[in-house]
Amino acid sequence: MTRPDAAAHDVAPYTLAVDCGGSGIKASVLDAHGTLHAPAVRVPTPYPLPPAVLVETIAQIAADLPAAQRVTVGVPGMIRHGVVVATPHYVTRAGPRTAVDPVLEAAWTGCDVRALVEQRLALPTLVLNDAEVHGAGVVSGTGLELMLTLGTGLGAALFDGGRLAPHLELSHAPVRWGVTYDAYVGQTERRRLGNGLWSRRVQRVVEGLWPVFRWDRLYLGGGNSRNISPTVLERLGEHVVVVPNQAGIVGGVRAWDLPRGAGDAH
C-alpha cells in the first residue's frame, strides 16, 4: 500500500495518478512539479469490473510504486464530487461494446469511488472524469479550452479561465441518427476504417462542435490522438493542439490546483 514518506523532499506532496480507461489502467507517482518518479505502470482493465475490483487493482499498482501523499483517479463517465453517476464501460460483462450487466450497473450507479479509494489507500483522494484529468494536465488557464480524448470512445472536458465546467457526457450524444460520438470515433471504428478515414471522422466531429463551443483552444488527447493523419491536423488549424497521452498522468498533479466547485468539493 502507498503510504506518506517521512523523508519527503521539497517537491512534495507526491501524487499517485491513476488513469482508468476502457482497455487499460495506467498509473505513476509524480512530484509537485509533475515529474514522474517511476515509469508509468499499465495493466489491462479487468472484466467484469465491480467497484471493489477497480479499487483493488489500483491498490495493487500502488504497492509497486513509490510512496505518495495523495491520489488522483480519472474514471470514464459522469463523475460528480467523486461519485459515479454513470460509467459506460465498467458496467459491461466483458468490456466495451459487450452486454451491460444489470448487477454491475446497479453497483456503479451512485458509487462513491473517492471514499472507497481513500479507505483502501488511507490517502486524500480526488476522483474526476478521465478527460477532466487529461485537461488539467494541459490547459493554459486562459480563455475557453475544450479537451477531447480519443480512446475507447470520446471523452470531453471544458475549462473556462482554468475553472472546470460541469461535466457533459458528449460521448453519449448522437452524432447522427442512432450513432453516438463514442461509436463514431471510438477505437472499434478506427480499427475498422483505418487511420485515414477515421481521421476524417475526427475532423467532422471537431467541425461540428465548433459552433457549439467556439473555443479559444481545443486539445486532442487520449491514446488515439497520435493516429490523426497529418492532412487532417493541418486542416484543423492552429487553435487545435494534439497533446501526449501522458497528460492523463501529469494532470493528476495539476488537478489538485483547479478552482474547486464544479468538479469536486474535496
Side-chain angles (χ1 to χ4, degrees), residues 97 183-194 198 201:
R97 301 181 73 86
Y184 190 63
V185 292
Q187 171 74 339
T188 299
E189 285 298 277
R190 188 190 69 80
R191 287 176 173 168
R192 185 181 72 86
L193 295 170
W198 173 82
R201 285 195 174 187

Side-chain angles (χ1 to χ4, degrees), residues 1-6 62 65-69 118-123:
M1 182 185 297
T2 305
R3 293 290 188 220
D5 189 340
L65 289 169
Q69 288 82 47
E118 283 189 340
Q119 181 179 19
R120 179 64 178 85
L121 297 183
L123 293 172

